[in-house]
Amino acid sequence: MGLLQNLTVIQARDGEHYDVVAGGRRLAALKLLSKTRRIPKDWEVPCLLVADANARTVSLTENVQREAMHPADQFEAFAALVAEGRPIEDIAADFSVTPLVVQRRLKLANVSPRLLADYRADAVNLDQLMALAITDDHAAQEAAFYEAPEWQRSPHALRDRLTEREIDASHALVRFVGLDAYEAAGGGIRRDLFAEGDSGVYVTDAALLGTLVREKLDSHAVTVKAEGWAWVDATPAATYADLQTFQRAPRERRNPTKRESDRMEKLEAKMQTIGEALDMALEEDDEEKADALQEEGDRVGQQLQALEDRLLDYAPNVKAAAGAIVTLDRQGQIVAHRGLMRDAEARALRTLERLRQGFSGEDDTDGDGADDDQPKPASMSDRLAQRLSAHRTAALQIELARHPQTALAAVVHGMVRTVLQRDRYHRDGLPLDMRVTVQDRLESMAPDWPESPAAVALAELRKAVGESLPQDSAGLFAVLLARPQDELVRLLAVCAAVTVDAVTPRATSLQPGAELAQAVGLDMAAWWQPTAEGYFKHVSKAVILDAVGEFAPEQLSRLAKLKKADIVSEAERLVAGTGWMPAVFRAQASQDAAIETEADTDEAVDVVDVVAA
């Protein structure tokens, strides 16, 4: 456009030349134009000549005492250029910016005049203006800002308010359908020009998206139904609580082939090696190494689980009574929960199984009811598995001490197995030529065990019942002979409780004592809470985030950006009061529910027995 503002100069000492005191960049630009032959060397440059004494004052005045153009003026100027017919690409080239920068300024120029006026008056900041620019509806912009209290005027809150009827493209439903497929079906989208990367895309037709989701889910449900299930339901979301309303159908396990057996042994050995290395990395606070080992352990664990799953399958008569639910996970991937049974279906299947066994009345709770869809324990080191199972043992001990009838049954069970059934491997401890082994290794497994509620409660109970008993054997026997039977049973319960040992040596091992836990109504939430020191510090960042996705999903995106130490602290705070338990304890709850289901069928079986008689 040529020189828009003159240079300011003073007379040089040689009397022939001039020194520039204001406009040095303009002079450099003129020299560059001359060098590239865009202007001749003798091109006349307009200059303002000032006295030497005023040179410094003139220079400071021009560079300091001036007011920059307000950003709102820039937005409106760009809009005026476009209104004159200038292409966006040409405007971008003139000002050495990208076309996206021009588009963003045009978007800001289109904000409500009232909001732009408040922006000039510093009543609205630029971040708020950018958030409001996601829509061109001035009324909606003004309502979102002026009708909200000041504390709800953050850019994030404003953007959420203007897109509350729309769905973020990162949502699981959009991932499942695919943005391209949605647009091909005629769906509209809104793009936030101020978002970075692939974010800031919103689906505007929620009804169309819902239709596409149902069609795709129904198509997959037909495939699952072809496997022979009695029913298959398709739903975009099924929570853990939803799935817990169903009972689990039993599966049958075949013996592995030699090749499968060898492969499983190698994977278990590898898991053991990784677990030991992970324990060492956690002790050394080597977070990077621990995360890498955790990921490797997850991969090996998944391979091992896949081999185990291939050995399990549902019998045709089970499929004829059970069903499946086809749904989506948080990433928008299809998940099929198979082997689900409603109460009536479960009772019918159990009754048929009893009939098939010839009214033998024998229970079928030996573990064949394992299910691929029940919660699987999160990947963890063997040391953490031992620590958690130690706390479970402590909880079982105090609960057994509080349930004398169950304790009596457990002791008699051990006697029967040893004396009447000649099974010497089930010998339990009693004074009649039997050994009583008090479990004293829990502290070595879980350093925080002595302060746990279960351990403290059992210690207090042991002290209370033992204070009144004589220390010598003869005196003790005399006192016990004189005690009523109910007091002896309560005393037996306390003594039997300390012999309980449900510690598991491996992270992949099944939790022992399912029948005992069911009998005493074990609820781990009453005796143990997940804390930073007791759980979160000992698992990887990925495992913590998976847990947060269950008990505080709205915080997941925020925590994912933090370092592990901060995530651990936040997870401990957020989990408080939610009742959330690690998958290793929830898996046990599912086993207990299966045992309870067996008991629920007794009434139906009694009726069948009477008819058969």
Short mmCIF file of all heavy atoms in Angstrom, two decimals, residues 136-199:
data_model
loop_
_atom_site.label_atom_id
_atom_site.label_comp_id
_atom_site.label_asym_id
_atom_site.label_seq_id
_atom_site.Cartn_x
_atom_site.Cartn_y
_atom_site.Cartn_z
N ASP A 136 -24.18 -18.64 16.17
CA ASP A 136 -24.40 -17.33 15.54
C ASP A 136 -25.69 -16.67 16.02
O ASP A 136 -26.02 -15.57 15.58
CB ASP A 136 -24.45 -17.49 14.01
CG ASP A 136 -23.12 -17.94 13.45
OD1 ASP A 136 -22.08 -17.57 14.02
OD2 ASP A 136 -23.11 -18.67 12.42
N ASP A 137 -26.41 -17.34 16.91
CA ASP A 137 -27.68 -16.83 17.42
C ASP A 137 -27.41 -15.81 18.52
O ASP A 137 -27.00 -16.16 19.63
CB ASP A 137 -28.51 -18.00 17.96
CG ASP A 137 -29.91 -17.58 18.38
OD1 ASP A 137 -30.12 -16.37 18.64
OD2 ASP A 137 -30.80 -18.44 18.44
N HIS A 138 -27.63 -14.52 18.22
CA HIS A 138 -27.33 -13.48 19.19
C HIS A 138 -28.17 -13.61 20.45
O HIS A 138 -27.68 -13.37 21.56
CB HIS A 138 -27.55 -12.09 18.55
CG HIS A 138 -26.51 -11.75 17.53
ND1 HIS A 138 -26.51 -10.57 16.82
CD2 HIS A 138 -25.42 -12.45 17.08
CE1 HIS A 138 -25.47 -10.55 15.98
NE2 HIS A 138 -24.80 -11.68 16.12
N ALA A 139 -29.42 -13.96 20.28
CA ALA A 139 -30.30 -14.11 21.45
C ALA A 139 -29.79 -15.22 22.36
O ALA A 139 -29.78 -15.08 23.59
CB ALA A 139 -31.72 -14.40 21.00
N ALA A 140 -29.36 -16.34 21.77
CA ALA A 140 -28.83 -17.45 22.56
C ALA A 140 -27.53 -17.04 23.25
O ALA A 140 -27.28 -17.42 24.41
CB ALA A 140 -28.61 -18.67 21.68
N GLN A 141 -26.68 -16.29 22.55
CA GLN A 141 -25.43 -15.82 23.16
C GLN A 141 -25.71 -14.96 24.39
O GLN A 141 -25.11 -15.15 25.45
CB GLN A 141 -24.63 -15.01 22.13
CG GLN A 141 -24.10 -15.82 20.97
CD GLN A 141 -23.49 -14.92 19.89
OE1 GLN A 141 -23.65 -13.70 19.93
NE2 GLN A 141 -22.82 -15.54 18.93
N GLU A 142 -26.62 -13.99 24.22
CA GLU A 142 -26.92 -13.08 25.32
C GLU A 142 -27.60 -13.80 26.48
O GLU A 142 -27.29 -13.53 27.66
CB GLU A 142 -27.80 -11.93 24.81
CG GLU A 142 -27.08 -11.02 23.81
CD GLU A 142 -27.97 -9.91 23.29
OE1 GLU A 142 -29.11 -9.77 23.81
OE2 GLU A 142 -27.55 -9.17 22.38
N ALA A 143 -28.48 -14.74 26.18
CA ALA A 143 -29.15 -15.48 27.25
C ALA A 143 -28.15 -16.32 28.03
O ALA A 143 -28.19 -16.39 29.27
CB ALA A 143 -30.24 -16.37 26.66
N ALA A 144 -27.22 -16.96 27.31
CA ALA A 144 -26.23 -17.81 27.97
C ALA A 144 -25.35 -17.00 28.92
O ALA A 144 -24.98 -17.47 30.00
CB ALA A 144 -25.36 -18.52 26.93
N PHE A 145 -25.03 -15.76 28.53
CA PHE A 145 -24.12 -14.97 29.36
C PHE A 145 -24.86 -14.18 30.44
O PHE A 145 -24.55 -14.29 31.64
CB PHE A 145 -23.34 -14.00 28.47
CG PHE A 145 -22.28 -13.23 29.21
CD1 PHE A 145 -21.05 -13.79 29.47
CD2 PHE A 145 -22.54 -11.94 29.67
CE1 PHE A 145 -20.08 -13.08 30.17
CE2 PHE A 145 -21.57 -11.23 30.37
CZ PHE A 145 -20.34 -11.80 30.62
N TYR A 146 -25.86 -13.40 30.04
CA TYR A 146 -26.48 -12.47 30.99
C TYR A 146 -27.46 -13.15 31.96
O TYR A 146 -27.71 -12.62 33.05
CB TYR A 146 -27.20 -11.35 30.22
CG TYR A 146 -26.25 -10.47 29.45
CD1 TYR A 146 -26.23 -10.49 28.05
CD2 TYR A 146 -25.35 -9.64 30.10
CE1 TYR A 146 -25.36 -9.69 27.33
CE2 TYR A 146 -24.46 -8.83 29.39
CZ TYR A 146 -24.47 -8.88 28.01
OH TYR A 146 -23.59 -8.09 27.30
N GLU A 147 -28.01 -14.31 31.59
CA GLU A 147 -28.94 -14.98 32.48
C GLU A 147 -28.25 -15.94 33.45
O GLU A 147 -28.90 -16.54 34.30
CB GLU A 147 -29.99 -15.75 31.66
CG GLU A 147 -30.91 -14.84 30.85
CD GLU A 147 -31.91 -15.61 30.02
OE1 GLU A 147 -32.00 -16.85 30.22
OE2 GLU A 147 -32.59 -15.00 29.18
N ALA A 148 -26.95 -16.07 33.29
CA ALA A 148 -26.20 -16.95 34.20
C ALA A 148 -25.55 -16.12 35.30
O ALA A 148 -25.11 -14.99 35.06
CB ALA A 148 -25.12 -17.70 33.42
N PRO A 149 -25.49 -16.66 36.53
CA PRO A 149 -24.76 -15.95 37.58
C PRO A 149 -23.29 -15.85 37.22
O PRO A 149 -22.78 -16.63 36.41
CB PRO A 149 -24.99 -16.83 38.82
CG PRO A 149 -25.35 -18.18 38.29
CD PRO A 149 -26.06 -17.94 36.98
N GLU A 150 -22.59 -14.91 37.81
CA GLU A 150 -21.20 -14.66 37.44
C GLU A 150 -20.32 -15.89 37.60
O GLU A 150 -19.42 -16.13 36.80
CB GLU A 150 -20.64 -13.50 38.27
CG GLU A 150 -21.21 -12.14 37.87
CD GLU A 150 -20.44 -11.00 38.52
OE1 GLU A 150 -19.34 -11.26 39.05
OE2 GLU A 150 -20.93 -9.87 38.49
N TRP A 151 -20.60 -16.69 38.63
CA TRP A 151 -19.75 -17.85 38.86
C TRP A 151 -19.98 -18.96 37.84
O TRP A 151 -19.25 -19.95 37.80
CB TRP A 151 -19.93 -18.38 40.28
CG TRP A 151 -21.34 -18.80 40.62
CD1 TRP A 151 -22.34 -18.01 41.09
CD2 TRP A 151 -21.90 -20.11 40.50
NE1 TRP A 151 -23.50 -18.73 41.28
CE2 TRP A 151 -23.26 -20.03 40.92
CE3 TRP A 151 -21.41 -21.34 40.08
CZ2 TRP A 151 -24.10 -21.13 40.93
CZ3 TRP A 151 -22.25 -22.44 40.10
CH2 TRP A 151 -23.58 -22.34 40.51
N GLN A 152 -21.01 -18.81 37.00
CA GLN A 152 -21.27 -19.79 35.94
C GLN A 152 -21.00 -19.21 34.56
O GLN A 152 -21.56 -19.64 33.57
CB GLN A 152 -22.72 -20.27 36.01
CG GLN A 152 -22.99 -21.20 37.18
CD GLN A 152 -24.38 -21.79 37.15
OE1 GLN A 152 -25.26 -21.35 36.40
NE2 GLN A 152 -24.61 -22.80 37.96
N ARG A 153 -20.11 -18.22 34.50
CA ARG A 153 -19.79 -17.59 33.22
C ARG A 153 -18.40 -17.96 32.72
O ARG A 153 -17.81 -17.25 31.92
CB ARG A 153 -19.90 -16.06 33.35
CG ARG A 153 -21.33 -15.56 33.51
CD ARG A 153 -21.37 -14.05 33.63
NE ARG A 153 -22.74 -13.55 33.78
CZ ARG A 153 -23.05 -12.28 33.97
NH1 ARG A 153 -22.07 -11.37 34.04
NH2 ARG A 153 -24.31 -11.91 34.10
N SER A 154 -17.87 -19.05 33.22
CA SER A 154 -16.57 -19.51 32.71
C SER A 154 -16.75 -19.94 31.25
O SER A 154 -17.86 -20.31 30.84
CB SER A 154 -16.06 -20.69 33.53
OG SER A 154 -16.87 -21.83 33.33
N PRO A 155 -15.70 -19.88 30.42
CA PRO A 155 -15.82 -20.29 29.02
C PRO A 155 -16.40 -21.70 28.88
O PRO A 155 -17.24 -21.96 28.01
CB PRO A 155 -14.38 -20.22 28.51
CG PRO A 155 -13.75 -19.18 29.37
CD PRO A 155 -14.36 -19.33 30.72
N HIS A 156 -15.96 -22.61 29.76
CA HIS A 156 -16.45 -23.99 29.69
C HIS A 156 -17.95 -24.06 29.96
O HIS A 156 -18.70 -24.74 29.25
CB HIS A 156 -15.69 -24.86 30.70
CG HIS A 156 -16.15 -26.28 30.75
ND1 HIS A 156 -15.83 -27.20 29.76
CD2 HIS A 156 -16.91 -26.95 31.65
CE1 HIS A 156 -16.37 -28.35 30.06
NE2 HIS A 156 -17.03 -28.24 31.20
N ALA A 157 -18.40 -23.33 30.99
CA ALA A 157 -19.83 -23.35 31.34
C ALA A 157 -20.66 -22.71 30.23
O ALA A 157 -21.76 -23.20 29.90
CB ALA A 157 -20.05 -22.62 32.66
N LEU A 158 -20.18 -21.63 29.64
CA LEU A 158 -20.91 -20.97 28.56
C LEU A 158 -21.04 -21.88 27.34
O LEU A 158 -22.10 -22.00 26.72
CB LEU A 158 -20.21 -19.66 28.17
CG LEU A 158 -20.21 -18.55 29.22
CD1 LEU A 158 -19.32 -17.40 28.78
CD2 LEU A 158 -21.63 -18.07 29.49
N ARG A 159 -19.94 -22.55 27.01
CA ARG A 159 -19.95 -23.46 25.85
C ARG A 159 -20.90 -24.63 26.10
O ARG A 159 -21.64 -25.04 25.20
CB ARG A 159 -18.53 -23.94 25.57
CG ARG A 159 -18.36 -24.66 24.24
CD ARG A 159 -16.91 -25.01 23.99
NE ARG A 159 -16.10 -23.83 23.72
CZ ARG A 159 -15.22 -23.31 24.55
NH1 ARG A 159 -15.03 -23.86 25.76
NH2 ARG A 159 -14.52 -22.24 24.23
N ASP A 160 -20.86 -25.17 27.32
CA ASP A 160 -21.77 -26.28 27.65
C ASP A 160 -23.23 -25.84 27.56
O ASP A 160 -24.08 -26.61 27.10
CB ASP A 160 -21.47 -26.79 29.06
CG ASP A 160 -20.23 -27.65 29.12
OD1 ASP A 160 -19.71 -28.00 28.03
OD2 ASP A 160 -19.78 -27.97 30.23
N ARG A 161 -23.52 -24.62 27.99
CA ARG A 161 -24.91 -24.15 27.97
C ARG A 161 -25.41 -24.01 26.53
O ARG A 161 -26.57 -24.31 26.23
CB ARG A 161 -25.01 -22.82 28.72
CG ARG A 161 -26.45 -22.41 29.04
CD ARG A 161 -26.48 -21.23 30.00
NE ARG A 161 -25.91 -21.59 31.29
CZ ARG A 161 -24.80 -21.06 31.81
NH1 ARG A 161 -24.14 -20.14 31.15
NH2 ARG A 161 -24.35 -21.45 32.99
N LEU A 162 -24.56 -23.55 25.64
CA LEU A 162 -24.96 -23.35 24.25
C LEU A 162 -25.02 -24.65 23.45
O LEU A 162 -25.60 -24.69 22.36
CB LEU A 162 -24.00 -22.37 23.57
CG LEU A 162 -24.11 -20.91 24.04
CD1 LEU A 162 -22.95 -20.08 23.51
CD2 LEU A 162 -25.44 -20.31 23.62
N THR A 163 -24.40 -25.70 23.97
CA THR A 163 -24.40 -26.99 23.25
C THR A 163 -25.08 -28.09 24.07
O THR A 163 -24.84 -29.27 23.82
CB THR A 163 -22.95 -27.43 22.92
OG1 THR A 163 -22.20 -27.55 24.14
CG2 THR A 163 -22.27 -26.43 22.01
N GLU A 164 -25.92 -27.70 25.04
CA GLU A 164 -26.50 -28.69 25.95
C GLU A 164 -27.42 -29.68 25.23
O GLU A 164 -27.64 -30.79 25.72
CB GLU A 164 -27.27 -27.98 27.07
CG GLU A 164 -28.43 -27.11 26.61
CD GLU A 164 -29.06 -26.35 27.77
OE1 GLU A 164 -28.64 -26.60 28.91
OE2 GLU A 164 -29.96 -25.52 27.52
N ARG A 165 -27.97 -29.30 24.08
CA ARG A 165 -28.84 -30.21 23.33
C ARG A 165 -28.07 -30.97 22.25
O ARG A 165 -28.65 -31.67 21.45
CB ARG A 165 -30.00 -29.43 22.70
CG ARG A 165 -30.92 -28.76 23.71
CD ARG A 165 -32.08 -28.07 23.02
NE ARG A 165 -32.94 -27.39 23.98
CZ ARG A 165 -33.92 -27.98 24.66
NH1 ARG A 165 -34.16 -29.27 24.47
NH2 ARG A 165 -34.65 -27.30 25.52
N GLU A 166 -26.76 -30.80 22.25
CA GLU A 166 -25.92 -31.45 21.25
C GLU A 166 -25.01 -32.46 21.93
O GLU A 166 -24.88 -32.47 23.14
CB GLU A 166 -25.13 -30.38 20.48
CG GLU A 166 -26.05 -29.38 19.78
CD GLU A 166 -25.29 -28.16 19.26
OE1 GLU A 166 -24.05 -28.15 19.34
OE2 GLU A 166 -25.96 -27.22 18.77
N ILE A 167 -24.36 -33.29 21.13
CA ILE A 167 -23.52 -34.36 21.67
C ILE A 167 -22.11 -34.20 21.14
O ILE A 167 -21.89 -34.08 19.93
CB ILE A 167 -24.08 -35.75 21.26
CG1 ILE A 167 -25.51 -35.91 21.79
CG2 ILE A 167 -23.19 -36.87 21.79
CD1 ILE A 167 -26.18 -37.18 21.33
N ASP A 168 -21.15 -34.20 22.05
CA ASP A 168 -19.75 -34.08 21.67
C ASP A 168 -19.35 -35.28 20.81
O ASP A 168 -19.71 -36.42 21.10
CB ASP A 168 -18.89 -34.02 22.93
CG ASP A 168 -17.47 -33.55 22.63
OD1 ASP A 168 -16.80 -34.17 21.80
OD2 ASP A 168 -17.04 -32.55 23.24
N ALA A 169 -18.57 -35.01 19.77
CA ALA A 169 -18.16 -36.08 18.86
C ALA A 169 -17.26 -37.11 19.52
O ALA A 169 -17.06 -38.20 18.97
CB ALA A 169 -17.46 -35.49 17.63
N SER A 170 -16.71 -36.78 20.71
CA SER A 170 -15.88 -37.75 21.42
C SER A 170 -16.73 -38.72 22.25
O SER A 170 -16.19 -39.65 22.85
CB SER A 170 -14.89 -37.03 22.34
OG SER A 170 -15.59 -36.29 23.34
N HIS A 171 -18.06 -38.52 22.29
CA HIS A 171 -18.95 -39.38 23.05
C HIS A 171 -18.94 -40.79 22.47
O HIS A 171 -18.75 -41.01 21.27
CB HIS A 171 -20.36 -38.80 23.01
CG HIS A 171 -21.29 -39.42 24.02
ND1 HIS A 171 -21.92 -40.62 23.80
CD2 HIS A 171 -21.69 -39.01 25.26
CE1 HIS A 171 -22.68 -40.91 24.85
NE2 HIS A 171 -22.55 -39.96 25.74
N ALA A 172 -19.15 -41.77 23.36
CA ALA A 172 -19.12 -43.18 22.94
C ALA A 172 -20.11 -43.47 21.83
O ALA A 172 -19.82 -44.25 20.91
CB ALA A 172 -19.39 -44.08 24.15
N LEU A 173 -21.29 -42.86 21.86
CA LEU A 173 -22.30 -43.13 20.83
C LEU A 173 -21.83 -42.65 19.46
O LEU A 173 -22.05 -43.33 18.44
CB LEU A 173 -23.62 -42.43 21.19
CG LEU A 173 -24.31 -42.90 22.48
CD1 LEU A 173 -25.61 -42.14 22.68
CD2 LEU A 173 -24.57 -44.40 22.44
N VAL A 174 -21.18 -41.49 19.42
CA VAL A 174 -20.68 -40.97 18.14
C VAL A 174 -19.52 -41.82 17.64
O VAL A 174 -19.42 -42.12 16.45
CB VAL A 174 -20.25 -39.50 18.30
CG1 VAL A 174 -19.80 -38.93 16.95
CG2 VAL A 174 -21.40 -38.66 18.85
N ARG A 175 -18.65 -42.25 18.55
CA ARG A 175 -17.55 -43.13 18.15
C ARG A 175 -18.08 -44.44 17.57
O ARG A 175 -17.54 -44.97 16.61
CB ARG A 175 -16.66 -43.43 19.36
CG ARG A 175 -15.85 -42.26 19.85
CD ARG A 175 -14.95 -42.70 21.00
NE ARG A 175 -14.17 -41.63 21.55
CZ ARG A 175 -13.30 -41.78 22.55
NH1 ARG A 175 -13.12 -42.98 23.09
NH2 ARG A 175 -12.62 -40.75 23.01
N PHE A 176 -19.13 -44.94 18.18
CA PHE A 176 -19.70 -46.22 17.75
C PHE A 176 -20.27 -46.12 16.33
O PHE A 176 -19.99 -46.96 15.47
CB PHE A 176 -20.79 -46.63 18.73
CG PHE A 176 -21.57 -47.86 18.33
CD1 PHE A 176 -20.92 -49.07 18.12
CD2 PHE A 176 -22.94 -47.82 18.18
CE1 PHE A 176 -21.62 -50.21 17.75
CE2 PHE A 176 -23.66 -48.94 17.81
CZ PHE A 176 -22.99 -50.13 17.59
N VAL A 177 -21.05 -45.09 16.06
CA VAL A 177 -21.65 -44.91 14.73
C VAL A 177 -20.61 -44.44 13.72
O VAL A 177 -20.60 -44.91 12.57
CB VAL A 177 -22.82 -43.90 14.82
CG1 VAL A 177 -23.33 -43.55 13.43
CG2 VAL A 177 -23.94 -44.48 15.66
N GLY A 178 -19.74 -43.54 14.15
CA GLY A 178 -18.77 -42.95 13.24
C GLY A 178 -19.29 -41.63 12.71
O GLY A 178 -20.42 -41.55 12.21
N LEU A 179 -18.48 -40.59 12.78
CA LEU A 179 -18.90 -39.26 12.35
C LEU A 179 -19.23 -39.24 10.85
O LEU A 179 -20.19 -38.59 10.42
CB LEU A 179 -17.82 -38.23 12.68
CG LEU A 179 -18.25 -36.77 12.76
CD1 LEU A 179 -19.36 -36.59 13.78
CD2 LEU A 179 -17.06 -35.88 13.10
N ASP A 180 -18.44 -39.97 10.06
CA ASP A 180 -18.70 -40.00 8.61
C ASP A 180 -20.04 -40.64 8.30
O ASP A 180 -20.80 -40.14 7.46
CB ASP A 180 -17.57 -40.76 7.89
CG ASP A 180 -16.25 -40.03 7.95
OD1 ASP A 180 -16.27 -38.80 8.19
OD2 ASP A 180 -15.20 -40.67 7.78
N ALA A 181 -20.35 -41.74 8.99
CA ALA A 181 -21.63 -42.42 8.76
C ALA A 181 -22.80 -41.53 9.20
O ALA A 181 -23.84 -41.49 8.53
CB ALA A 181 -21.67 -43.74 9.52
N TYR A 182 -22.61 -40.81 10.29
CA TYR A 182 -23.66 -39.90 10.76
C TYR A 182 -23.91 -38.79 9.75
O TYR A 182 -25.07 -38.48 9.41
CB TYR A 182 -23.24 -39.32 12.12
CG TYR A 182 -24.05 -38.12 12.57
CD1 TYR A 182 -25.32 -38.28 13.13
CD2 TYR A 182 -23.55 -36.84 12.42
CE1 TYR A 182 -26.06 -37.18 13.53
CE2 TYR A 182 -24.28 -35.73 12.82
CZ TYR A 182 -25.54 -35.91 13.38
OH TYR A 182 -26.27 -34.81 13.76
N GLU A 183 -22.85 -38.19 9.22
CA GLU A 183 -23.02 -37.12 8.24
C GLU A 183 -23.60 -37.66 6.93
O GLU A 183 -24.41 -37.00 6.28
CB GLU A 183 -21.68 -36.43 7.97
CG GLU A 183 -21.17 -35.61 9.14
CD GLU A 183 -19.92 -34.82 8.79
OE1 GLU A 183 -20.07 -33.68 8.33
OE2 GLU A 183 -18.81 -35.34 8.97
N ALA A 184 -23.19 -38.89 6.56
CA ALA A 184 -23.73 -39.49 5.34
C ALA A 184 -25.23 -39.74 5.45
O ALA A 184 -25.95 -39.73 4.45
CB ALA A 184 -23.00 -40.81 5.06
N ALA A 185 -25.72 -39.93 6.68
CA ALA A 185 -27.16 -40.14 6.90
C ALA A 185 -27.92 -38.82 6.97
O ALA A 185 -29.14 -38.82 7.20
CB ALA A 185 -27.37 -40.94 8.18
N GLY A 186 -27.21 -37.71 6.78
CA GLY A 186 -27.88 -36.41 6.79
C GLY A 186 -27.79 -35.67 8.10
O GLY A 186 -28.48 -34.65 8.28
N GLY A 187 -26.96 -36.12 9.03
CA GLY A 187 -26.85 -35.46 10.32
C GLY A 187 -26.02 -34.20 10.26
O GLY A 187 -25.03 -34.13 9.52
N GLY A 188 -26.41 -33.20 11.01
CA GLY A 188 -25.67 -31.94 11.05
C GLY A 188 -24.65 -31.92 12.16
O GLY A 188 -24.79 -32.61 13.17
N ILE A 189 -23.61 -31.13 11.97
CA ILE A 189 -22.57 -30.99 12.99
C ILE A 189 -22.26 -29.51 13.20
O ILE A 189 -22.54 -28.67 12.34
CB ILE A 189 -21.28 -31.75 12.63
CG1 ILE A 189 -20.66 -31.18 11.35
CG2 ILE A 189 -21.53 -33.23 12.50
CD1 ILE A 189 -19.29 -31.73 11.06
N ARG A 190 -21.72 -29.21 14.35
CA ARG A 190 -21.26 -27.86 14.66
C ARG A 190 -19.79 -27.95 15.06
O ARG A 190 -19.41 -28.81 15.86
CB ARG A 190 -22.07 -27.28 15.82
CG ARG A 190 -21.73 -25.82 16.12
CD ARG A 190 -22.26 -25.40 17.50
NE ARG A 190 -23.69 -25.60 17.62
CZ ARG A 190 -24.60 -24.73 17.20
NH1 ARG A 190 -24.22 -23.63 16.61
NH2 ARG A 190 -25.89 -24.97 17.38
N ARG A 191 -18.97 -27.07 14.50
CA ARG A 191 -17.54 -27.08 14.81
C ARG A 191 -17.16 -25.81 15.56
O ARG A 191 -17.53 -24.71 15.15
CB ARG A 191 -16.71 -27.19 13.52
CG ARG A 191 -16.93 -28.50 12.77
CD ARG A 191 -16.00 -28.61 11.56
NE ARG A 191 -16.30 -29.80 10.77
CZ ARG A 191 -15.82 -31.00 11.02
NH1 ARG A 191 -15.01 -31.18 12.04
NH2 ARG A 191 -16.14 -32.03 10.26
N ASP A 192 -16.44 -25.99 16.63
CA ASP A 192 -15.93 -24.87 17.40
C ASP A 192 -14.59 -24.45 16.80
O ASP A 192 -13.60 -25.18 16.91
CB ASP A 192 -15.77 -25.27 18.87
CG ASP A 192 -15.33 -24.11 19.74
OD1 ASP A 192 -15.11 -23.01 19.20
OD2 ASP A 192 -15.22 -24.30 20.97
N LEU A 193 -14.56 -23.28 16.13
CA LEU A 193 -13.34 -22.84 15.46
C LEU A 193 -12.19 -22.60 16.42
O LEU A 193 -11.02 -22.58 16.02
CB LEU A 193 -13.61 -21.55 14.67
CG LEU A 193 -14.47 -21.68 13.41
CD1 LEU A 193 -14.70 -20.31 12.79
CD2 LEU A 193 -13.80 -22.61 12.40
N PHE A 194 -12.50 -22.43 17.70
CA PHE A 194 -11.46 -22.10 18.68
C PHE A 194 -10.95 -23.33 19.42
O PHE A 194 -10.08 -23.20 20.29
CB PHE A 194 -11.99 -21.06 19.68
CG PHE A 194 -12.40 -19.78 19.01
CD1 PHE A 194 -13.72 -19.54 18.67
CD2 PHE A 194 -11.46 -18.82 18.69
CE1 PHE A 194 -14.10 -18.38 18.05
CE2 PHE A 194 -11.82 -17.64 18.06
CZ PHE A 194 -13.15 -17.41 17.73
N ALA A 195 -11.49 -24.49 19.10
CA ALA A 195 -11.02 -25.73 19.73
C ALA A 195 -9.71 -26.17 19.09
O ALA A 195 -9.44 -25.87 17.92
CB ALA A 195 -12.07 -26.82 19.60
N GLU A 196 -8.91 -26.87 19.86
CA GLU A 196 -7.62 -27.35 19.38
C GLU A 196 -7.74 -28.81 18.94
O GLU A 196 -8.47 -29.60 19.53
CB GLU A 196 -6.55 -27.23 20.46
CG GLU A 196 -6.31 -25.79 20.92
CD GLU A 196 -5.76 -24.90 19.82
OE1 GLU A 196 -5.11 -25.43 18.92
OE2 GLU A 196 -6.00 -23.68 19.88
N GLY A 197 -7.00 -29.16 17.90
CA GLY A 197 -6.97 -30.55 17.42
C GLY A 197 -8.31 -31.02 16.89
O GLY A 197 -9.02 -30.28 16.18
N ASP A 198 -8.67 -32.27 17.26
CA ASP A 198 -9.91 -32.87 16.78
C ASP A 198 -11.11 -32.57 17.69
O ASP A 198 -12.21 -33.04 17.43
CB ASP A 198 -9.74 -34.40 16.67
CG ASP A 198 -8.68 -34.77 15.63
OD1 ASP A 198 -8.52 -34.00 14.68
OD2 ASP A 198 -8.03 -35.82 15.80
N SER A 199 -10.89 -31.83 18.77
CA SER A 199 -12.00 -31.54 19.68
C SER A 199 -12.86 -30.41 19.11
O SER A 199 -12.52 -29.79 18.12
CB SER A 199 -11.45 -31.15 21.05
OG SER A 199 -10.65 -29.98 20.95
#
